[in-house]
Amino acid sequence: MGLFNAYKSLSKANDTLKRLEYTIGRLQVNMDMCNYSAARSYCNDAASLVKTFLETVEQSKTAEISMYTFMGQKMRVMQLAMLFNEALQSANAIITRNGY
């Protein structure tokens, strides 16, 4: 049962990271184009995906200690959490400053 749970959690975490890569990429494109209303939507989607990722890895000790690849770099969960937190806070500040 533990092995199946670990596999399921790792699979879901990796799937969520792939979706996060796409969403953060779209967020960056919209930020670069000053399309802040669309950027707000992608920022909210990314925040939701980050929450899903963190909840998923909490379900399995194996998933918590595993290495993940995000945008070509290998990182642990804590590094990813800090990266996501910093990126989303920065994006939110810029979007809010521009009235969205």
Side-chain angles (χ1 to χ4, degrees):
M1 187 77 153
L3 183 62
F4 179 71
N5 185 42
Y7 177 76
K8 183 179 171 186
S9 294
L10 287 169
S11 179
K12 185 175 179 183
N14 281 315
D15 180 57
T16 304
L17 280 179
K18 286 178 188 175
R19 292 172 46 208
L20 257 167
E21 281 185 3
Y22 173 79
T23 303
I24 289 178
R26 298 306 306 161
L27 171 62
Q28 182 63 46
V29 166
N30 282 287
M31 295 287 286
D32 290 344
M33 294 174 43
C34 299
N35 185 359
Y36 297 113
S37 62
R40 168 62 66 201
S41 176
Y42 282 113
C43 194
N44 291 339
D45 290 347
S48 176
L49 287 170
V50 167
K51 181 179 178 191
T52 299
F53 173 75
L54 294 175
E55 288 173 349
T56 299
V57 297
E58 286 177 355
Q59 295 175 3
S60 166
K61 196 64 161 170
T62 302
E64 283 182 4
I65 62 172
S66 294
M67 294 286 288
Y68 295 93
T69 302
F70 183 74
M71 294 190 169
Q73 294 188 348
K74 290 193 179 276
M75 294 181 238
R76 296 216 181 267
V77 173
M78 185 58 77
Q79 293 169 306
L80 286 166
M82 290 188 304
L83 173 74
F84 297 146
N85 184 45
E86 186 177 319
L88 293 177
Q89 281 184 354
S90 296
N92 267 319
I94 293 167
I95 293 166
T96 301
R97 185 177 38 210
N98 286 287
Y100 292 91

